[in-house]
Amino acid sequence: MTRSITMEKVRNIGIIAHIDAGKTTVTERILHHTGRTYKIGGVDEGTAVMDWMDQERERGITIVAAATTCQWDDHRINIIDTPGHVDFTAEVERSLRVLDGGVVVLDAVAGVEAQSEMVWRQADRYHVARICFVNKMDRVGADFFRTVATIESRLKAVAVPVQLPLGTESAFRGVIDLVEQRAIVFQNDPAEPFVIESIPASESESVAKWRHLLLERLAENDDAILLPYLEGQEIPVSLIKESLRRSTVSNRIVPVLCGSALKGKGVFPLLDSIVSYLPSPLDVPPVVAQDVTGTREVVCAPDDDEPVAGLAFKVVSDPFMGRLIYVRIYSGRMVSGTQLLNTVKSKRERIGRLYLMHSNRREEVSEAGAGSIVAAVGLRGTSTGDTLCSPTRPVIFESIRFAEPVLSMAVEPKAKADAEKLEDVLGKLVDEDPSFKVRQDPETGQALIMGMGELHLEVMVERMAREYGIRVNVGKPRVAYREAITRSIESEGRFVRQTGGRGQFGHVWLKLEPSERGSGFKFIDGTKGGVIPREYFPAIQSGAREAVETGGPAGYPVVDLTVTAFDGSYHEVDSSELAFKIASSMAVKQGLPKAKPILLEPVMKLEITTPSQFTGEMIGELNSRRARMERIDTLGDTSVLGCLIPLGETFGIATALRSLSQGRVTHTMEFSRYEQVPAAIADQLTKS
């Protein structure tokens, strides 16, 4: 593919938000207004192009992140529409890892909601520049200024409105552009062009106040604006736009726009803002990778002439194409038919074909340059988080971290003939979704599927039936408890087997220590003097890891543990990797009960929006479920309750809350952290 658009005119953006804020609707309107689609898709009608899965269209929610490409004002905009439901947060995580900018869609009535905070923190982690689009300005109760206030108070961001709404609720008809000081009035028919008018006299006082704030915020963050601002000079529009761009790209401010995506109001100015204020691949710092030894940093500049390097961030099993690997190219050019090195797996992979994606449709290209997001076919051994690069410059990018699953469910095929096929299908689903895991229940032999919530597991079971034709019996969802130790101990593992020929000998001393919550498993080689040869340490680490994953005394995986091998012995003839692996596993299993293990449970962050008259009943219900109240906010006659609640206490909570509020309550829930289970409840769990 000959590059017709230079890299400074490329925008890699994500549409991110709380569930039901209107992300997919915004994306559909962008595609229609840029001429990418001729017909406007609708979420409610099940015709949204970006929601291509049957489950997405039936449920009216986004489940998997979908990528597309469109053009606006001679710029190419690569868009990823992400899910809003907390159960599919892994899709948001991996999308933000490879994007340069984001459009955060907020509901003008609800303002910043629980999931808005979560995606904002994810964007902070990857330093993604953002603009906010306050959607649904035509809804009853819409309040642009309250939403801006919640951006500052709850997201701790410097929110700078660059537009003001012209009318609200049913009278919403346009926006006032504070940068160019004009009114943009939209027609009731989205196909009709908008009209530029002068600012109504009734709005002049408000416009003067907010434009002064805009210039003040820019002067605080940009020296180019500071001097003319202090001297009271008239600042040119071009200089304001340049300053807005610099401050947005550097994450010092967040421009705020408004509109109603469903009616097509505000989408054209949003497209202009994406092009004007969000970064190109050249505007963000070059990605720093490690060389394969992990001792030297390598800067991968966004330049087509550099050796190629990209990150695989998503795997899709396509029924017609096989495995599609989505790749963000950070440097160099990727050409179909060439061979690349997967440095994580230490193997060479040949790219069969390259595609630009439009949801689940594809456009084949022969090559793609730095800054592109493409899908590749033919990479059989590549998984999410792997680095693909030129063999002449082997590098490894930082991988993507995903949250651990918090809920499990036993599944078995309804037809015994499907047992082997089920194993293959589960492998494909795990390959696609890093937050979905499978393990065997040692007691029943059933497969345990593990995910981020009930909806996540429900969708996976549906996918098994619809996409692969396997119907399964499912057990009740169970909480994914964990164990952790509370004191350090030393434990010996000795595995000796003598048969007629060569025997087996492995002997190791391990120190088990508790580590910081959330730190996971860590292995350290603390031996001295070569008491154990180096080649056996991968096996010792593997044995220890398998032992903690199999489960502690209560049968749950052990987390937040540091294992140090500090002594041992070997036999020159009989020692083997298998012997040391078994010895290490024995040392861990024998040591865990002595290290005073405790039980941990997943604790969720729950936010409930309810009419104020039911607040007392809600708090009573939450207290009975061991919830800890964190905040109670009142917005008119509506209350927002925020609390922490153990996941095990949330089963059936939706029905309970609806019955207490005559069906007028909404709630959202996200994983917060693991905490120790109270002793009385831990005793019940270990006995049951």
Side-chain angles (χ1 to χ4, degrees), residues 495 502-507 532-544 570-571 573-585:
F495 180 70
R502 181 179 171 181
Q504 294 281 4
F505 182 92
H507 174 221
I532 301 173
R534 294 261 71 76
E535 65 260 28
Y536 296 132
F537 276 92
I540 295 171
Q541 179 175 352
S542 175
Y570 72 102
H571 189 281
V573 177
D574 291 350
S575 284
S576 66
E577 290 186 3
L578 177 62
F580 272 102
K581 183 177 179 179
I582 295 172
S584 173
S585 179

Side-chain angles (χ1 to χ4, degrees), residues 29 40-48 57-58 60 262:
R29 297 308 179 271
I40 297 178
V43 174
D44 294 337
E45 296 82 22
T47 56
R57 294 182 167 180
E58 289 167 11
L262 189 64

Side-chain angles (χ1 to χ4, degrees), residues 57-312:
R57 294 182 167 180
E58 289 167 11
R59 296 171 187 271
I61 62 170
T62 301
I63 292 171
V64 296
T68 188
T69 301
C70 60
Q71 298 206 9
W72 181 255
D73 192 22
D74 292 329
H75 288 68
R76 178 188 297 140
I77 306 176
N78 297 319
I79 302 173
I80 297 183
D81 175 33
T82 64
H85 197 286
V86 66
D87 282 14
F88 309 108
T89 187
E91 291 287 322
V92 184
E93 187 80 25
R94 61 178 163 197
S95 300
L96 288 172
R97 171 68 175 80
V98 298
L99 292 171
D100 305 319
V103 176
V104 182
V105 182
L106 299 169
D107 187 319
V109 179
V112 173
E113 299 171 86
Q115 189 67 8
S116 313
E117 289 186 63
M118 188 172 185
V119 297
W120 195 272
R121 288 196 302 271
Q122 289 173 302
D124 278 341
R125 190 153 58 243
Y126 297 115
H127 310 291
V128 175
R130 278 145 280 176
I131 59 178
C132 288
F133 181 72
V134 181
N135 193 25
K136 306 186 180 183
M137 282 303 304
D138 52 351
R139 274 187 63 195
V140 174
D143 190 330
F144 175 77
F145 302 106
R146 185 182 69 218
T147 302
V148 171
T150 61
I151 295 171
E152 299 223 314
S153 62
R154 294 191 62 176
L155 303 179
K156 305 294 184 282
V158 181
V160 179
V162 293
Q163 293 176 354
L164 299 181
L166 198 55
T168 55
E169 300 183 351
S170 59
F172 177 71
R173 59 193 182 93
V175 297
I176 297 170
D177 184 340
L178 292 176
V179 177
E180 301 198 29
Q181 299 191 82
R182 59 182 187 171
I184 303 171
V185 180
F186 306 107
Q187 308 301 310
N188 288 328
D189 183 354
E192 292 291 318
F194 57 81
V195 178
I196 303 296
E197 296 181 358
S198 56
I199 296 171
S202 59
E203 301 288 338
S204 57
E205 190 176 328
S206 177
V207 168
K209 170 191 165 186
W210 286 97
R211 192 167 196 273
H212 177 75
L213 177 69
L214 166 64
L215 297 175
E216 186 179 286
R217 290 279 169 85
L218 290 177
E220 288 171 1
N221 289 289
D222 192 343
D223 291 342
I225 293 283
L226 181 60
L227 191 60
Y229 172 76
L230 291 175
E231 292 177 351
Q233 297 176 14
E234 183 64 33
I235 302 173
V237 168
S238 59
L239 188 57
I240 294 174
K241 286 189 171 183
E242 289 169 15
S243 179
L244 268 168
R245 179 178 180 75
R246 282 193 295 270
S247 296
T248 304
V249 167
S250 59
N251 268 312
R252 292 195 295 266
I253 68 164
V254 179
V256 185
L257 300 87
C258 60
S260 171
L262 189 64
K263 304 282 179 61
K265 296 179 178 180
V267 177
F268 285 117
L270 173 61
L271 279 162
D272 288 338
S273 296
I274 289 170
V275 165
S276 298
Y277 306 135
L278 289 179
S280 75
L282 295 173
D283 294 320
V284 295
V287 176
V288 178
Q290 296 280 333
D291 69 350
V292 287
T293 64
T295 57
R296 185 172 60 88
E297 290 189 342
V298 180
V299 176
C300 297
D303 185 338
D304 286 357
D305 297 326
E306 289 248 324
V308 66
L311 180 72

Side-chain angles (χ1 to χ4, degrees), residues 446-466:
Q446 292 174 312
L448 282 180
I449 59 172
M450 308 171 73
M452 300 305 296
E454 289 181 87
L455 180 61
H456 189 194
L457 296 179
E458 196 179 305
V459 165
M460 287 303 190
V461 169
E462 278 186 23
R463 286 190 63 190
M464 290 178 215
R466 294 186 184 202

Side-chain angles (χ1 to χ4, degrees), residues 25-41:
T25 304
V26 168
T27 311
E28 294 291 329
R29 297 308 179 271
I30 286 174
L31 294 179
H32 181 69
H33 288 345
T34 57
R36 193 69 176 82
T37 56
Y38 67 92
K39 183 181 177 185
I40 297 178

